Amino acid sequence: MMPLTMARPGETFLIRKISGRDEVRQHLAELGFVVDSNVTVVSEMAGNLIV
C-alpha cells in the first residue's frame, strides 16, 4: 500500500483506505473516492494531483 501522493500520471490505483476527519471522508465519498474504487492520476504539478 502507498499514498496516492506517490503516484505518477497515467497510473491507476485501487483505493484501499481513506483517512481523515469524518467531514473530509464524507466529502471525498461524495466526489466518488470510496474504498475499493479505482482512481487514475491524470496529472501532477508541484505535488498536486488531478485524478
Side-chain angles (χ1 to χ4, degrees):
M1 202 164 25
M2 69 183 230
L4 189 57
T5 55
M6 296 181 69
R8 301 268 185 237
E11 294 181 325
T12 299
F13 293 92
L14 177 67
I15 297 175
R16 295 299 226 171
K17 178 181 174 184
I18 299 175
S19 4
R21 295 181 317 221
D22 288 342
E23 311 86 55
V24 172
R25 289 188 320 212
Q26 178 62 39
H27 180 67
L28 290 171
E30 291 168 358
L31 294 172
F33 291 88
V34 292
V35 173
D36 293 330
S37 65
N38 289 311
V39 293
T40 302
V41 178
V42 176
S43 70
E44 180 273 331
M45 183 180 293
N48 298 307
L49 298 175
I50 296 177
V51 296

